[in-house]
Amino acid sequence: MKAYYSTAYGGPEVSQYGDYPDPAAGDGQLLVEVKAVSINPVDYKVKRGIAKFMSGSRFPRIFGSDYAGVVKSAGKGVTQFKQGDRVYGATPVIWGKPGALAQLLAIDQKFARAIPEGISFEVAASLPIAALTALNGLRRCGVTEGKDVLINGSTGGVGHFAIQIARAKGAHITATCRQVNAELARKLGADETMGYSKDDFAKREKKFDAILDAYGKMNLGDICRLLKRGGIYATTQIKPFLFFSSFYVNLFYGKKLTSSNMRSRPEDMDEMEKLVIDRKLYPIIENYFTLDHSDEAFELAENGKPRGKIIIRVLSA
Ligand SMILES: NC(=O)c1ccc[n+]([C@@H]2O[C@H](COP(=O)([O-])OP(=O)(O)OC[C@H]3O[C@@H](n4cnc5c(N)ncnc54)[C@H](OP(=O)(O)O)[C@@H]3O)[C@@H](O)[C@H]2O)c1
């Protein structure tokens, strides 16, 4: 098969498009003919080795998490899927498992889900990591009808889904973004937009019931000042000291800090898919690439200030 694979942790200098051995479906696995992959920050971070203590040192290796495709064959013990089913999901590349940037992917059936009718491969591939993180983050910071929510980093992968989900929940949304993206944020459902510089936060008088920090790096002073008493802040970044800061912030200011991670329980997938089917949630695609141009897709994701998602189309052998 053709794949975009790496021979070491790093950037384009250690990655190439070319022939790679075909995988086979093991017990409980599906062999998926990949049709589309979306790129998330976790993909370039893992590819560069940021989590090598978890992702191991075996090379050559294929990266790429979010995928959609068609079941080509099913291994022994597979009960939920059959040949020809359309499936999508996220591969656990962070744990050293094979990624999706290839024509074929062997994956445990627990990391696959049927694509509902009417949802394309490209839309399905855009969803898992970013939309499920947005959904969980908004839940964690208690966003419901009428709540005032600030979404920081609102036109990226997580943020642009978060605006739409918060809109569907009936929240009042303030979205941070660069001026050039303000129109997009409003189109997605933001009631107000603002910049995300230190000055922009300092000037802001209004306080919020909830802050979903999709970008993930707001400083504690701004968070405490911008949250109402009883308000909740959720970040997408893994912060080892969050638990301790949260304890003190809650004790002294009556505000909570929590994390917003991807959660993919069946009820989360159901909720996300319903929003897509009801046309309340859709991806903005910054650009499409083919597998042999994956270098460019990674460069855009890492340094190109993309809006929404980036899709890599994978053509069959
Ligand atoms: N824990 C989890 O399970 C989980 C899951 C998904 C994502 N994440 C993490 O969440 C972060 C965001 O992911 P993503 O897919 O949304 O990334 P993305 O598509 O690259 O979007 C990042 C967004 O942040 C904005 N931004 C850049 N600098 C900013 C700043 N100083 N203040 C506020 N916003 C700023 C960007 O806007 P401009 O480009 O217009 O400046 C962009 O809208 C990444 O670090 C990712 O690894 C974690």
Side-chain angles (χ1 to χ4, degrees):
M1 67 171 177
K2 295 289 187 200
Y4 176 72
Y5 64 93
S6 298
T7 48
Y9 286 119
E13 71 288 353
V14 292
S15 307
Q16 57 196 288
Y17 171 79
D19 291 320
Y20 197 91
D22 283 8
D27 290 358
Q29 284 195 322
L30 308 175
L31 186 65
V32 176
E33 206 172 69
V34 180
K35 299 287 186 192
V37 175
S38 82
I39 302 297
N40 293 279
V42 69
D43 295 311
Y44 57 74
K45 291 178 188 175
V46 173
K47 185 173 175 302
R48 287 200 177 271
I50 198 173
K52 55 172 90 159
F53 61 101
M54 297 195 286
S55 49
S57 55
R58 231 167 343 123
F59 284 95
R61 157 130 32 126
I62 298 167
F63 293 102
S65 311
D66 284 344
Y67 74 93
V70 176
V71 176
K72 189 175 163 79
S73 64
K76 247 200 286 172
V78 170
T79 49
Q80 302 164 34
F81 300 100
K82 58 179 189 324
Q83 190 186 1
D85 285 348
R86 297 183 337 126
V87 292
Y88 78 118
T91 67
V93 280
I94 198 156
W95 297 110
K97 301 290 184 197
L101 286 167
Q103 288 175 319
L104 295 171
L105 165 71
I107 185 151
D108 291 358
Q109 62 175 335
K110 69 178 177 197
F111 297 116
R113 164 119 178 157
I115 303 176
E117 228 183 284
I119 298 183
S120 70
F121 290 119
E122 287 157 7
V123 169
S126 75
L127 296 170
I129 292 182
L132 289 169
T133 301
L135 190 67
N136 194 35
L138 292 167
R139 180 189 302 109
R140 301 273 309 207
C141 60
V143 171
T144 50
E145 194 170 352
K147 292 272 170 112
D148 270 319
V149 59
L150 176 71
I151 297 173
N152 186 42
S154 73
T155 55
V158 174
H160 91 293
F161 284 136
I163 296 182
Q164 298 175 65
I165 299 168
R167 167 91 287 134
K169 288 179 185 291
H172 184 278
I173 303 157
T174 304
T176 76
C177 56
R178 287 182 293 134
Q179 186 54 37
V180 68
N181 290 332
E183 194 183 327
L184 172 64
R186 283 188 179 271
K187 185 178 147 218
L188 292 168
D191 298 288
E192 297 175 52
T193 59
M194 60 180 276
Y196 53 59
S197 73
K198 210 171 160 32
D199 276 1
D200 293 315
F201 285 132
K203 276 191 273 173
R204 194 71 184 180
E205 301 278 318
K206 182 177 170 177
K207 292 193 187 295
F208 300 92
D209 299 300
I211 300 176
L212 173 58
D213 190 359
Y215 177 65
K217 297 180 193 163
M218 278 180 72
N219 84 47
L220 197 54
D222 291 331
I223 295 166
C224 289
R225 206 177 54 74
L226 290 170
L227 268 184
K228 293 179 190 167
R229 195 164 181 85
I232 307 176
Y233 164 88
T235 173
T236 55
Q237 301 297 310
I238 312 289
K239 296 196 172 163
F241 299 110
L242 190 68
F243 176 79
F244 296 105
S245 336
S246 181
F247 177 79
Y248 286 107
V249 168
N250 199 6
L251 190 68
F252 294 116
Y253 301 100
K255 301 168 185 185
K256 290 190 186 145
L257 312 179
T258 186
S259 54
S260 160
N261 296 315
M262 175 194 178
R263 198 182 84 171
S264 55
R265 296 187 188 156
E267 63 268 28
D268 300 321
M269 308 292 284
D270 287 345
E271 188 177 348
M272 176 182 75
E273 288 166 359
K274 183 167 184 329
L275 287 167
V276 179
I277 290 162
D278 292 348
R279 300 183 187 281
K280 292 181 176 164
L281 185 66
Y282 59 90
I284 296 293
I285 307 296
E286 173 69 54
N287 212 341
Y288 296 88
F289 296 87
T290 47
L291 192 57
D292 52 333
H293 288 271
S294 297
D295 274 351
E296 291 160 48
F298 273 91
E299 170 59 23
L300 176 60
E302 214 172 339
N303 300 312
K305 297 191 176 298
R307 310 185 313 167
K309 300 290 300 177
I310 295 163
I311 295 288
I312 296 182
R313 291 173 167 143
V314 184
L315 305 174
S316 305

